[in-house]
Amino acid sequence: MTLIPQIIFVIVMAIPTYLIVRRIRQIRGNILRGRPLDRNDNSSERWKTMFLIAFGQKKMFKKPIPAFLHLLIYVGFLVINLEVLEFMLDGLLGTHRLFAPYLGDFYNVAMNFFEFLALGVLISCVVFLIRRNVIKVPRFTKPEMKGWPAMDGNLILIIEIALMIAILKMNAADQVLQSRDVAGYHETGKLMISSFLVPLIDQFDTGLVMLTERGAWWFHIIGIMAFALYVTYSKHLHIFLAFPNTYYSNLEPKGKIQNMDAVTTEVKSMLGMPVEAPPANPDEMGRFGAKDATDLSWKSLMEAYSCTECGRCTAECPANQTGKLLSPRKIMMDTRDRIEEIGNGKEEGKSLLGDYITKEEINACTSCNACTEACPVNIDPLAIILEMKRYVAMEESGSPASWNAMFANIETNFAPWKFAPSDRFKWAEDLKND
Amino acid sequence: MSEIKIPTVADMQSKGETPEILFWVGCAGSFDDRYKRVTLAFTKILNHLGVNFAVLGPEESCTGDPARRAGNEFLFQMQAMSNIQLLDGYGIKKIVTACPHCFNTIKNEYPDLGGNYDVVHHTSFLQGLLDEGKLKVAGGDYKGKKITYHDSCYLGRSNGIYEAPRELLQSLDADLVEMKRCKTNGLCCGAGGGQMFKDAEPGNKEVNIERTEEALSTGAKVIASACPFCMTMMSDGVKNKEKEEEVIVKDIAEIIEESLD
Ligand code: SF4
Ligand code: SF4
């Protein structure tokens, strides 16, 4: 038997594998352009969070219908990848349905299970396409979803549908070949979903059916590799990054803002308090807050790559609900676009704050944490917004005038309002007039 | 009612005493006319129950929360450090406050700067006393009355306190009705994150109006809140809708104080 299909297979696999590995390194490098942040404590809590939120899809179930459909795709994705293992081995060894003889009757059970999942994935993808394009669920039609993001969402669903159809078509052709006793096609038993396609394929002569079977096989395996590569450029990267992203979740109470230790050091020395470890090199301290993507923590950058663009954050955001410009999803998308741009060496004197995100957007945030609560993969858009507010307040003194007035009041009157500090206890006197 | 005592920590210290509990009043509780009434109500409850408490009085200062949330980390830390010095100087261990912003900041953010206290919000504090049987309320005016509770983001999502306020209201045998967006899905009043101190960005509606409409649509006659900012925003909303004759906005401390047995 000729080795040519095997050699072609190896080459066809090697090219996308190389490209995927290169892309993963690029993404990793981009994430590491962020500032340090320690998220290595409390590993048992972290594993638990990852297990519940990413693996267990806990937060998805706030919305039961999409949660169920998403679960079908998710389980389908995990399980059908087992079948891909057989594909890979067949491709390498030049065999056909390698596992069939070993698994006996169980092979039929497994194949039927895969087929049902494939059908589940197919139906879910169709429903999702309808939700996006026909029903136009509001969170998918916000301004930041125009153009590529909408295309990206649709493409992935169409690719998945095509891949599932290929599996079913391949199985149907295989069954036709089995029924015609063509050598090399193992008995798989009746496959419940694809057998509906059998009458269609049965009309063709054996040569064409064999071609159909092989064609679907190659389409599926090449499709999967292309899909994997595509995913690394798409919001669908969440299928991998959801896991590390939830592992490194913020475990602190949501209301707690990350302390700026550099400021603590300065404030302490201003107050004449002992400073434990003065910064080794003040030049390396960087700026206060974030003007550009590289001023954010690596975690915020990882989050930018993990964002699914589902818009649950934006749908819950009080500012967005009342027509303000702020959309936490857009904050995440902008951060990703910007760090990609920096990674590609196309900085061109631009910055995240100003060229992508405006002050009007960040100033509208009420720090309510509705976005962080809503995000199914524990992304924290508020952390990015806050870092930008810090940059504006401390590096630019560019906060809204009434905030600057509030700062001045706190400084001089020790209250955000213009009241005399000596009046602070007056409320107790009011009691006498009560 | 017998005479209400409001000792300051400094007074107590001059007598060689330290209060068991510091009541942190907060800027709104000290200066805002409406919220001063909440401060008084809570003080009356503390007196009624004979709690050993004191206030800082004129020595209290802003926690720094609005500065930090508007990005001014320097100012926040200056405020925090001097507050911590003051609190530690008096040997304060336990703090109760009627402001979720003060609560969140002192509880979650002061420890990073060396200030470690046992901090409780007045709703959790009262819930504890209710559970212990020390706080006794009579349904009275609120019995069977439709009340809706507006979750404060800084109590709820920020710190996971959803039940204490509700339990207190239920203790009055009130008819607690929930808004569509409540608990983890609650809608902000629009004042957090420093928004209280500036105009909202342009949009098509103010957040507090949206929230007030939702509260009014429950048919409740009382909107209960547990935060000075929520109180202001909801009261303004009710006024804007010209419903102040029919619907009142009250802090849970006021409702409990009126219902003390
Ligand atoms: S924290 Fe800010 S961005 Fe997030 S939901 Fe609230 S207002 Fe919107
Ligand atoms: S941040 Fe989270 S909730 Fe918002 S769009 Fe991204 S994945 Fe969805």
Side-chain angles (χ1 to χ4, degrees):
Chain A
M1 196 181 159
T2 158
L3 274 176
I4 291 171
Q6 281 157 270
I7 293 167
I8 296 175
F9 179 81
V10 170
I11 295 170
V12 164
M13 289 298 112
I15 297 167
T17 305
Y18 167 77
L19 293 173
I20 291 167
V21 169
R22 200 179 64 165
R23 175 68 180 149
I24 289 171
R25 292 172 65 143
Q26 191 189 13
I27 293 170
R28 196 184 119 85
N30 283 350
I31 290 174
L32 293 177
R33 286 173 202 268
R35 285 191 183 168
L37 175 72
D38 186 14
R39 285 276 169 90
N40 282 312
D41 57 328
N42 210 342
S43 60
S44 61
E45 185 64 28
R46 295 191 176 285
W47 282 111
K48 204 174 111 197
T49 308
M50 185 180 98
F51 191 77
L52 283 174
I53 308 287
F55 192 73
Q57 310 266 296
K58 184 171 163 220
K59 283 175 122 185
M60 284 299 287
F61 278 88
K62 278 197 155 191
K63 296 196 193 304
I65 296 171
F68 175 72
L69 297 170
H70 183 266
L71 189 73
L72 274 178
I73 298 184
Y74 169 63
V75 174
F77 172 75
L78 290 182
V79 175
I80 292 170
N81 274 329
L82 288 177
E83 197 187 359
V84 174
L85 182 70
E86 190 188 41
F87 270 63
M88 292 287 176
L89 291 173
D90 278 342
L92 281 175
L93 304 172
T95 49
H96 181 70
R97 295 197 184 264
L98 178 68
F99 296 162
Y102 302 100
L103 296 178
D105 288 347
F106 183 72
Y107 192 80
N108 175 259
V109 177
M111 280 299 134
N112 271 313
F113 182 55
F114 291 156
E115 286 209 341
F116 271 102
L117 279 175
L119 184 69
V121 172
L122 219 156
I123 293 171
S124 297
C125 289
V126 170
V127 176
F128 280 158
L129 277 173
I130 293 172
R131 279 167 59 89
R132 276 176 181 266
N133 301 289
V134 182
I135 305 175
K136 296 199 196 297
V137 173
R139 62 192 160 95
F140 297 126
T141 56
K142 297 268 171 186
E144 67 266 23
M145 297 308 287
K146 300 275 172 317
W148 164 245
M151 177 71 141
D152 184 22
N154 284 330
L155 260 181
I156 213 90
L157 293 169
I158 292 166
I159 296 174
E160 282 182 58
I161 291 172
L163 288 174
M164 294 307 121
I165 291 177
I167 284 197
L168 296 176
K169 197 163 132 193
M170 181 191 84
N171 282 351
D174 204 311
Q175 287 176 82
V176 171
L177 294 168
Q178 290 166 39
S179 68
R180 294 186 191 167
D181 285 326
V182 182
Y185 291 92
H186 299 279
E187 270 303 315
T188 58
K190 188 178 154 105
L191 301 174
M192 307 227 233
I193 310 294
S194 57
S195 52
F196 284 103
L197 298 174
V198 166
L200 260 161
I201 294 172
D202 217 2
Q203 310 167 22
F204 302 114
D205 64 52
T206 303
L208 191 58
V209 178
M210 283 171 84
L211 207 66
T212 304
E213 196 276 339
R214 279 297 86 189
W217 189 90
W218 279 101
F219 181 86
H220 191 74
I221 195 78
I222 295 174
I224 280 180
M225 294 306 281
F227 177 83
L229 179 61
Y230 173 76
V231 155
T232 64
Y233 288 94
S234 141
K235 74 179 185 100
H236 294 87
L237 197 50
H238 77 275
I239 60 180
F240 300 112
L241 278 183
F243 293 89
N245 195 62
T246 49
Y247 180 86
Y248 292 114
S249 288
N250 176 21
L251 300 179
E252 303 275 6
K254 285 189 162 60
K256 178 181 172 174
I257 283 181
Q258 178 79 20
N259 195 61
M260 284 181 75
D261 295 337
V263 171
T264 309
T265 312
E266 288 208 13
V267 170
K268 277 189 174 168
S269 54
M270 275 163 74
L271 295 173
M273 292 161 78
V275 176
E276 286 106 49
N281 181 359
D283 295 342
E284 275 174 19
M285 228 165 58
R287 47 169 81 110
F288 290 123
K291 181 183 196 220
D292 212 344
T294 46
D295 300 325
L296 297 167
S297 75
W298 63 267
K299 180 63 192 355
S300 290
L301 298 179
M302 180 188 263
E303 289 176 346
Y305 281 107
S306 312
C307 175
T308 323
E309 296 171 16
C310 66
R312 288 172 186 233
C313 51
T314 296
E316 296 292 318
C317 173
N320 194 277
Q321 284 179 5
T322 52
K324 278 108 191 159
L325 221 47
L326 173 63
S327 161
R329 166 174 57 191
K330 177 177 172 291
I331 301 285
M332 301 318 299
M333 293 167 70
D334 287 342
T335 303
R336 176 179 169 141
D337 289 350
R338 177 61 187 158
I339 197 68
E340 276 283 298
E341 191 176 61
I342 293 174
N344 293 330
K346 293 198 197 106
E347 289 150 83
E348 292 163 22
K350 283 200 260 171
S351 61
L352 182 58
L353 177 66
D355 295 300
Y356 286 81
I357 299 171
T358 59
K359 282 192 201 171
E360 184 178 335
E361 293 170 73
I362 57 169
N363 285 344
C365 174
T366 70
S367 316
C368 70
N369 272 304
C371 52
T372 62
E373 179 74 42
C375 180
V377 290
N378 280 357
I379 286 172
D380 184 357
L382 180 51
I384 299 178
I385 296 171
L386 180 77
E387 286 304 322
M388 293 191 171
K389 281 186 178 171
R390 282 173 164 172
Y391 174 80
V392 173
M394 292 191 285
E395 297 272 357
E396 283 190 334
S397 305
S399 303
S402 35
W403 272 359
N404 284 329
M406 178 259 287
F407 297 154
N409 284 332
I410 294 179
E411 246 170 294
T412 50
N413 305 322
F414 310 112
W417 295 284
K418 209 173 174 62
F419 290 110
S422 52
D423 287 349
R424 187 176 270 275
F425 199 30
K426 265 206 171 150
W427 62 268
E429 281 168 32
D430 294 359
L431 190 64
K432 296 181 193 123
N433 320 322
D434 199 28
Chain B
M1 196 180 260
S2 57
E3 206 206 326
I4 306 290
K5 291 201 181 63
I6 313 172
T8 63
V9 184
D11 283 346
M12 281 185 105
Q13 202 193 34
S14 65
K15 287 187 244 161
E17 294 167 19
T18 311
E20 234 168 75
I21 291 166
L22 173 79
F23 171 26
W24 183 278
V25 181
C27 300
S30 305
F31 294 117
D32 180 83
D33 282 334
R34 178 66 187 87
Y35 220 63
K36 278 200 260 186
R37 304 217 307 266
V38 178
T39 310
L40 286 175
F42 188 59
T43 318
K44 286 181 186 168
I45 301 174
L46 294 174
N47 269 271
H48 178 87
L49 299 173
V51 177
N52 176 355
F53 81 102
V55 296
L56 285 167
E59 287 187 281
E60 201 185 88
S61 184
C62 176
T63 58
D65 158 86
R68 177 171 248 194
R69 273 146 190 87
N72 196 334
E73 182 78 3
F74 271 103
L75 184 54
F76 163 73
Q77 291 203 13
M78 295 292 282
Q79 284 299 116
M81 299 257 199
S82 63
N83 284 326
I84 291 168
Q85 280 178 334
L86 184 73
L87 292 166
D88 287 351
Y90 282 129
I92 300 298
K93 299 270 174 320
K94 184 164 180 175
I95 298 174
V96 54
T97 177
C99 174
H101 295 260
C102 298
F103 162 73
N104 176 66
T105 304
I106 305 176
K107 178 175 187 277
N108 297 323
E109 298 179 355
Y110 278 21
D112 282 344
L113 298 166
N116 293 289
Y117 317 98
D118 175 9
V119 193
V120 284
H121 184 253
H122 73 327
T123 54
S124 309
F125 181 76
L126 293 174
Q127 183 204 18
L129 293 171
L130 189 74
D131 292 350
E132 284 172 41
K134 288 189 187 142
L135 174 68
K136 291 196 181 67
V137 288
D141 285 355
Y142 294 99
K143 198 166 186 157
K145 215 172 193 177
K146 258 194 185 177
I147 297 184
T148 192
Y149 170 65
H150 162 73
D151 279 285
S152 145
C153 305
Y154 276 74
L155 276 192
R157 277 190 299 267
S158 286
N159 288 288
I161 299 174
Y162 300 106
E163 285 315 315
R166 290 182 166 79
E167 213 179 280
L168 288 164
L169 292 173
Q170 267 153 354
S171 73
L172 303 164
D173 295 324
D175 179 12
L176 185 62
V177 284
E178 295 288 358
M179 290 182 249
K180 204 170 81 242
R181 288 171 279 194
C182 64
K183 301 185 186 171
T184 54
N185 300 325
L187 180 72
C188 178
C189 69
Q195 300 300 330
M196 186 71 177
F197 306 100
K198 70 164 180 56
D199 290 333
E201 322 307 312
N204 47 35
K205 205 183 218 176
E206 298 302 328
V207 178
N208 67 326
I209 302 298
E210 170 87 7
R211 186 55 162 172
T212 307
E213 283 169 1
E214 194 171 12
L216 294 176
S217 74
T218 62
K221 291 291 161 253
V222 182
I223 302 173
S225 68
C227 166
F229 294 171
C230 299
M231 160 79 75
T232 305
M233 298 309 266
M234 298 307 282
S235 305
D236 287 354
V238 170
K239 261 186 226 127
N240 179 285
K241 296 272 151 193
E242 293 173 352
K243 285 276 191 264
E244 65 266 42
E245 302 292 325
E246 305 140 58
V247 178
I248 48 168
V249 183
K250 285 219 163 176
D251 189 275
I252 291 185
E254 294 177 299
I255 296 175
I256 294 291
E257 194 265 332
E258 284 172 36
S259 315
L260 285 177
D261 202 9

